[in-house]
Amino acid sequence: MSAENIRLQEDRDFTKHWKKWGPYLTERQWGTVREDYSPDGSAWENVTHDDARSKAYRWGEEGIGGISDNKQKFCLAWAFWNGKDPFLKERLFGLTGNQGNHGEDVKEIYYYLDSTPTHSYMKMLYKYPQAEFPYRDLLEENSKRSKLDPEYELIDTGIFDEDKYFDIFIEYAKQDIEDIIAVATIHNRGPKEATIWVMPTLWFRKTWFTGHEPFMPKLTKTGENTIKAFNPKSGNYSITFDGNPDLKFCDNETNRERIYHIGNEKKFLKDAINDFVVQGDSSHINPANQGTKAAAIYDITIPAGESRQVKLRLQHQVEENPLEICDTCLDQRKKEADEFYEALQERVTDEDLVNIQRQAYAGMMWSKQFYYYDVERWLEGDPGRYVPPIIRKEGRNSNWRHLQNYDIISMPDKWEYPWYAAWDLAFHCIPIARIDPEFAKDQLLLLLNEWYMHPNGQIPAYEWNFSDVNPPVHAYAVQRVYQIDKKANNGVGDQEFLERALHKLMLNFTWWVNQKDSDGKNIFEGGFLGLDNISVFDRSHAQKYHGKLEQADATSWMAMFSLNLLRISLDLCEFNTVYQFTATKFLEHFLYIAGAMSDISDEHISLWDDEDNFFYDVFHIPGKEPRKMKVRSIVGLIPLFAVEPIREDLFAKLPEFKKRLDFFLREKPKLAALVSSWIQPGYDKRRLFSLLRGHRMKSVLHKMLDSNEFLSEYGIRSLSKYHEKNPYSMKIGGETLSVKYTPGESDTVMFGGNSNWRGPIWFPINFLLIESLKKFDFYYGGDFSIEYPTGSGKYMTMDIIAKELSLRCMKIFMKDENGIRPVFGASNKKYQEDPHFKDYILFYEYFHGDSGAGLGASHQTGWTGLVAEMIHKFYKIREDQHHDSKTLFRS
């Protein structure tokens, strides 16, 4: 067992809390809903990037490459100054959702390079220009651009063209659970010597104003290079810095005069160190060398091509020469991290994919965040402090007063999406389960807790609107994580995890049935469903057009949800056969949904279109004929997700389940005939539940695997390329609405225009399609093949097609025969060719439908981290089938 596996076991067994410290600082606390106390809910404008250096936050803390304890009482992060910027680089800069021409967008270059699950070793890279950071240029140029123009990025400003920048590698190594070494290695990549101010910064999150803290925490200088940090709940920490830095102290208190133009109540303010370094103003520095915020200031001149280091050690008790072990500890933890991942990646023979997969895991580990949001207190305000506007009590999230978040949570992206999102998190947990199954299981259960889940059974969506509806993929993730964990645990499944999840998921299922099936006819109207602008109008507000939308995807998601709960129930029958009765409940739900999709509300209207052989949404306007909205989108592919093969020998062990199954076959033959012909056993006597029978499945796959429709060189597009030349239009109430194939960034303002589902490639959808193909293959075996690509005359089994689609997604990040990674765009020479850029990977939110270039959030390792699982499964399949990897990669 590796050293990291031992640490994971100790943490799981509560013998040593290895995860107490981690990368739990967010990359952006400003501009979040939590910090918004405006009367109109304008979160982006209420606390800005410019405010952030002077504003003491209420709900969390941010920093560059930062760490904190798991309650975020005490924080450590890095600040820099190049001698030219108007203020310190203490946080990452970006445009708000209202400033960017494609929504919110971080305008920095940084990479998460490594992390073990216990954060015993971590590494990231931040690239800091030596010239003045182009804040104004980025803001003004993006403001000039329309949604038809690309985003204007930091690399586009030319500030890196002559290599006049610093590469700052930030590393952490744990000598023990609360004995942490931090090292910043700063490389001058420029042609001349350059000076940089490096400031490891310590501070306490401001908790003392609430009245819950019995004593004020305090940082105190105890030596020329030593600071003591005292917190009554965690005791003393000693922080030792190498060399002879200038130690400066202030308080984590708001500069009210600067932000609100009113007098300051406190003297030593949050921005005092910024003002001291940049302006030479020491008026707010505490001369007594104590406070709740401090920095060790290093003024370092680095010759061209050389590097310098800054080191520190945080521990409970100072030992003699505490910094002597820094290099040894760092090297040892790095070696142990290599051993941990080498064991996981032993099948992965392509070195490029080894690098990609490891950075994907690193991004998911670095994207953990302490997330604090007590909705009732946020609505009501804190005692003795500014009272929020009265309208707030009826505004955003006002019906989620029970919700209390105070946990470490996996984030989609800690700058662009520094808040959890329900369906994102479900996908995060699948690859995470390979390296830390306990964390993956805990995350899935977290959102099902009663202080998260609404009393009515709804799972919270995300902080901008907890009531928005995400696709119900939580049950799918629970079942997948259970299976991954069971296999890793020598075939022993975690019964308690599965039972806890099932009981709460049944409440969530009931919420869907009660809230999103308004007519009780098993046709669902999820609305938004996380797919933003996939339709001609905002699907959450179909009533704006005086109609009602019957959604093929919402209904298919619910069919999938039913089968997921059926599968979980059958898995639990291994421990207790009483769950066969639960299985029958979800079998019936699945069959009734299948029936409803073929005959909506007994109106002889189907979501399936026999002319196009595809699924579409149906729009109802009172007094008019229902109308199919013939947009060829992933809405019509999602029925593929509702598939579950089951071994026949299971039925003999579950007589009541088999009895109910036989009843349906006998008494409701029309319903039974709608789903895949499972009366006929498949390969190895397997049975199949699926929304798609042979003809419908082949028809949908015919379009999905057509390069003129959904199939891209880099995966499955979210909208058919058919609509590039044939936009879909419809008139409603005198207004003409349309959808066309848009392979890159969004050209609409729907949902702010910060994401696009009208053509690009999205990893979660591709992952589920690949998984479904594998399930179909599990039933059909090698006797069933499909033309791939459509029109090629070549036929392959579903399993091979799944592998080929995985490879297309993986190739987004891989070097091609010319050394080009599609993710960076062919024209981006710096990213593609520079040795200090080309092997660092960015995991974007989505990808151009034709070129594979990355778009949207640039650090969305959350669900794009699914590529790590694709690589893992690809090699498992390849090894099982004894394929030659090089032939597959370069074909």
Side-chain angles (χ1 to χ4, degrees):
M1 184 181 288
S2 72
E4 179 63 14
N5 285 117
I6 292 171
R7 283 189 284 268
L8 283 168
Q9 183 171 313
E10 289 175 339
D11 192 84
R12 181 175 64 249
D13 295 341
F14 303 104
T15 57
K16 293 192 78 172
H17 193 355
W18 281 103
K19 297 177 188 173
K20 180 172 182 179
W21 281 79
Y24 306 142
L25 288 178
T26 183
E27 306 288 9
R28 177 176 62 81
Q29 185 70 10
W30 62 270
T32 60
V33 166
R34 281 155 289 155
E35 301 297 339
D36 175 26
Y37 283 80
S38 66
D40 57 354
S42 300
W44 282 119
E45 288 73 36
N46 187 242
V47 181
T48 67
H49 177 270
D50 190 53
D51 294 335
R53 65 181 177 274
S54 306
K55 167 78 173 176
Y57 294 124
R58 169 63 179 87
W59 298 99
E61 295 291 345
E62 67 197 1
I64 297 174
I67 62 173
S68 77
D69 63 275
N70 64 332
K71 304 300 182 187
Q72 206 167 93
K73 301 291 187 180
F74 189 36
C75 308
L76 186 161
W78 298 82
F80 310 101
W81 190 50
N82 56 16
K84 302 178 181 67
D85 287 350
F87 44 82
L88 299 185
K89 179 65 71 173
E90 294 180 272
R91 58 194 48 80
L92 299 175
F93 172 72
L95 303 183
T96 72
N98 298 326
Q99 291 170 338
N101 62 322
H102 292 285
E104 62 266 41
D105 186 22
V106 67
K107 299 299 184 185
E108 304 271 12
I109 299 177
Y110 59 104
Y111 307 88
Y112 302 124
L113 300 180
D114 209 354
S115 179
T116 57
T118 65
H119 312 296
S120 59
Y121 176 75
M122 298 193 297
K123 183 178 184 180
M124 72 165 288
L125 168 62
Y126 175 64
K127 291 181 177 285
Y128 185 35
Q130 293 172 4
E132 182 177 345
F133 196 90
Y135 293 107
R136 184 175 296 277
D137 181 29
L138 288 164
L139 179 59
E140 292 180 351
E141 179 59 31
N142 276 283
S143 69
K144 295 174 186 175
R145 297 192 177 195
S146 72
K147 294 204 176 295
L148 300 178
D149 299 311
E151 293 175 343
Y152 183 61
E153 305 291 5
L154 181 59
I155 197 79
D156 300 325
T157 67
I159 203 163
F160 292 97
D161 288 353
E162 297 178 358
D163 293 331
K164 294 179 180 178
Y165 69 92
F166 300 103
D167 263 345
I168 304 171
F169 291 92
I170 298 169
E171 295 176 277
Y172 295 95
K174 292 183 181 179
Q175 176 71 3
D176 208 332
I177 58 174
E178 293 191 273
D179 186 346
I180 303 170
I181 290 153
V183 178
T185 305
I186 306 99
H187 294 260
N188 178 3
R189 300 298 187 197
K192 299 179 181 179
E193 75 170 20
T195 299
I196 182 172
W197 283 256
V198 179
M199 290 152 281
T201 305
L202 311 166
W203 72 101
F204 290 102
R205 178 167 60 87
K206 187 176 179 181
T207 58
W208 44 90
F209 66 86
T210 63
H212 295 297
E213 297 290 344
F215 303 99
M216 279 279 290
K218 184 187 293 186
L219 296 164
T220 306
K221 182 177 179 179
T222 55
E224 290 303 310
N225 65 342
T226 308
I227 292 175
K228 182 178 79 172
F230 171 73
N231 182 298
K233 291 188 177 180
S234 56
N236 292 323
Y237 288 105
S238 181
I239 303 90
T240 306
F241 303 90
D242 67 334
N244 294 292
D246 187 6
L247 304 182
K248 295 297 180 184
F249 296 77
C250 59
D251 286 318
N252 186 14
E253 297 284 357
T254 298
N255 186 337
R256 297 171 49 168
E257 184 176 332
R258 179 175 180 267
I259 296 180
Y260 305 119
H261 310 293
I262 59 177
N264 282 312
E265 293 181 336
K266 307 290 184 180
K267 183 176 182 180
F268 309 119
L269 308 172
K270 179 180 177 179
D271 52 14
I273 294 168
N274 173 88
D275 293 351
F276 172 75
V277 175
V278 177
Q279 302 166 15
D281 179 3
S282 60
S283 59
H284 297 298
I285 295 290
N286 191 335
N289 291 321
Q290 63 182 28
T292 52
K293 178 181 177 181
I297 304 170
Y298 293 84
D299 177 348
I300 306 172
T301 298
I302 308 174
E306 295 189 18
S307 65
R308 297 290 185 268
Q309 285 190 329
V310 171
K311 302 176 184 178
L312 64 92
R313 184 176 176 185
L314 180 151
Q315 56 191 147
H316 270 305
Q317 296 296 328
V318 181
E319 57 192 51
E320 189 174 352
N321 300 317
L323 298 176
E324 277 189 354
I325 70 158
C326 285
D327 292 343
T328 303
C329 179
L330 200 65
D331 291 344
Q332 181 64 27
R333 294 297 177 262
K334 175 66 166 66
K335 179 183 176 183
E336 291 166 357
D338 289 342
E339 291 170 351
F340 176 78
Y341 281 110
E342 282 166 6
L344 181 74
Q345 298 179 297
E346 61 179 347
R347 292 192 183 100
V348 186
T349 56
D350 187 285
E351 288 304 313
D352 195 21
L353 282 174
V354 168
N355 176 47
I356 293 164
Q357 188 183 45
R358 186 152 172 182
Q359 288 188 50
Y361 284 132
M364 286 181 279
M365 293 297 95
W366 273 92
S367 293
K368 297 178 184 179
Q369 177 184 324
F370 171 76
Y371 187 88
Y372 181 26
Y373 187 16
D374 182 327
V375 174
E376 184 165 42
R377 172 152 299 186
W378 179 79
L379 291 169
E380 297 289 343
D382 294 299
R385 287 172 57 83
Y386 172 73
V387 179
I390 192 69
I391 194 173
R392 184 187 189 91
K393 295 182 181 182
E394 299 176 0
R396 177 177 287 138
N397 297 329
S398 57
N399 60 336
W400 287 81
R401 284 178 170 267
H402 74 286
L403 194 145
Q404 294 178 301
N405 304 149
Y406 192 77
D407 295 284
I408 304 301
I409 308 181
S410 179
M411 296 291 138
D413 176 315
K414 287 206 295 188
W415 196 96
E416 297 206 16
Y417 302 106
W419 28 261
Y420 64 89
W423 80 307
D424 297 61
L425 183 140
F427 288 112
H428 304 179
C429 291
I430 294 169
I432 288 174
R434 295 286 174 194
I435 60 174
D436 191 355
E438 292 306 310
F439 181 71
K441 290 185 289 185
D442 288 345
Q443 288 290 286
L444 290 170
L445 291 175
L446 186 66
L447 265 62
L448 299 176
N449 283 323
E450 54 271 23
W451 55 92
Y452 277 71
M453 179 183 279
H454 198 281
N456 65 17
Q458 185 177 10
I459 294 175
Y462 48 87
E463 69 175 29
W464 288 88
N465 184 0
F466 285 122
S467 293
D468 255 348
V469 183
N470 282 177
V473 294
H474 217 80
Y476 166 78
V478 164
Q479 205 276 328
R480 286 292 289 117
V481 167
Y482 171 78
Q483 291 295 341
I484 291 170
D485 180 50
K486 180 180 179 181
K487 188 170 184 179
N489 199 30
N490 299 314
V492 179
D494 188 340
Q495 178 186 1
E496 181 181 344
F497 162 69
L498 205 57
E499 282 189 309
R500 280 184 61 189
L502 176 63
H503 296 162
K504 291 298 183 68
L505 287 167
M506 289 174 67
L507 296 177
N508 181 236
F509 187 91
T510 302
W511 174 84
W512 272 89
V513 170
N514 290 339
Q515 298 294 322
K516 296 300 175 181
D517 176 17
S518 59
D519 294 332
K521 300 291 187 178
N522 295 295
I523 291 291
F524 293 84
E525 316 139 26
F528 168 56
L529 281 180
L531 302 182
D532 294 18
N533 60 1
I534 196 71
S535 183
V536 294
F537 54 73
D538 179 351
R539 299 190 303 170
S540 294
H541 298 98
Q543 67 273 17
K544 173 183 175 182
Y545 298 98
H546 309 290
K548 174 183 166 186
L549 192 64
E550 311 280 16
Q551 290 180 222
D553 58 330
T555 306
S556 301
W557 284 121
M558 284 302 292
M560 173 187 169
F561 195 0
S562 300
L563 288 181
N564 295 150
L565 293 177
L566 167 65
R567 179 75 261 179
I568 290 172
S569 300
L570 293 176
D571 286 341
L572 283 169
C573 285
E574 176 186 345
F575 308 101
N576 187 343
T577 56
V578 74
Y579 284 103
Q580 64 186 306
F581 298 100
T582 311
T584 61
K585 167 184 171 62
F586 294 110
L587 167 66
E588 293 185 23
H589 274 292
F590 170 70
L591 291 170
Y592 284 126
I593 290 171
M597 287 184 74
S598 290
D599 188 2
I600 298 175
S601 305
D602 301 320
E603 297 175 3
H604 306 295
I605 303 161
S606 174
L607 298 179
W608 174 262
D609 186 81
D610 286 317
E611 182 180 356
D612 290 354
N613 288 320
F614 204 66
F615 286 97
Y616 297 120
D617 290 344
V618 174
F619 190 57
H620 293 258
I621 298 177
K624 296 185 178 181
E625 285 292 317
R627 183 174 178 181
K628 286 179 182 172
M629 299 173 64
K630 294 193 174 186
V631 181
R632 295 183 193 173
S633 74
I634 51 172
V635 165
L637 302 181
I638 288 173
L640 287 166
F641 300 166
V643 54
E644 191 62 51
I646 297 176
R647 295 182 183 275
E648 189 179 63
D649 57 9
L650 184 64
F651 300 136
K653 302 174 185 177
L654 305 173
E656 293 299 326
F657 180 71
K658 179 66 163 56
K659 179 180 177 181
R660 187 63 178 169
L661 201 56
D662 290 340
F663 170 82
F664 259 93
L665 292 176
R666 183 178 66 252
E667 300 296 329
K668 297 182 182 292
K670 288 184 179 180
L671 287 181
L674 288 170
V675 299
S676 185
S677 184
W678 77 288
I679 303 173
Q680 179 67 36
Y683 178 73
D684 197 23
K685 295 185 178 180
R686 293 164 185 163
R687 307 288 178 153
L688 185 72
F689 293 107
S690 170
L691 279 181
L692 301 181
R693 294 172 295 175
H695 166 68
R696 290 188 177 183
M697 180 188 67
K698 290 177 183 177
S699 298
V700 170
L701 290 178
H702 181 83
K703 283 187 171 59
M704 186 180 96
L705 302 176
D706 187 342
S707 59
N708 295 313
E709 297 243 17
F710 288 96
L711 183 65
S712 162
E713 285 295 314
Y714 304 102
I716 301 300
R717 304 173 173 111
S718 50
L719 188 75
S720 171
K721 199 169 184 179
Y722 167 82
H723 290 304
E724 184 175 39
K725 296 180 180 178
N726 304 277
Y728 174 79
S729 297
M730 67 181 294
K731 280 191 174 182
I732 308 178
E735 184 178 355
T736 300
L737 307 173
S738 66
V739 170
K740 67 176 181 179
Y741 174 68
T742 310
E745 290 163 317
S746 176
D747 60 2
T748 80
V749 296
M750 196 182 300
F751 291 94
N754 64 341
S755 66
N756 182 20
W757 291 82
R758 294 183 174 183
I761 295 152
W762 291 80
F763 263 71
I765 298 299
N766 275 263
F767 184 79
L768 288 175
L769 289 169
I770 290 165
E771 290 278 286
S772 294
L773 290 174
K774 291 176 183 175
K775 288 183 177 181
F776 279 117
D777 185 79
F778 188 76
Y779 170 74
Y780 287 110
D783 297 331
F784 187 86
S785 58
I786 293 285
E787 188 178 25
Y788 174 84
T790 300
S792 68
K794 299 177 182 178
Y795 286 78
M796 298 183 184
T797 63
M798 309 278 254
D799 187 44
I800 297 298
I801 294 172
K803 183 178 59 195
E804 290 292 328
L805 290 180
S806 292
L807 183 57
R808 288 183 184 233
C809 291
M810 289 152 55
K811 283 166 64 176
I812 288 173
F813 305 100
M814 295 169 64
K815 295 177 185 175
D816 65 14
E817 60 276 8
N818 298 314
I820 300 298
R821 299 186 192 274
V823 61
F824 294 138
S827 63
N828 197 328
K829 301 297 183 185
K830 195 72 172 176
Y831 281 144
Q832 298 287 11
E833 299 173 3
D834 192 300
H836 300 302
F837 281 80
K838 65 180 184 178
D839 291 326
Y840 301 129
I841 309 300
L842 292 173
F843 297 90
Y844 286 88
E845 186 179 3
Y846 54 101
F847 303 86
H848 194 284
D850 297 330
S851 71
L855 299 165
S858 54
H859 295 74
Q860 185 106 348
T861 328
W863 60 22
T864 300
L866 287 165
V867 70
E869 181 67 5
M870 289 180 181
I871 293 169
H872 181 92
K873 297 294 286 185
F874 180 88
Y875 270 92
K876 178 68 169 66
I877 294 169
R878 184 192 59 78
E879 184 179 78
D880 291 347
Q881 298 175 342
H882 305 290
H883 285 302
D884 178 72
S885 63
K886 292 299 179 184
T887 301
L888 285 166
F889 291 152
R890 310 307 173 195
S891 61

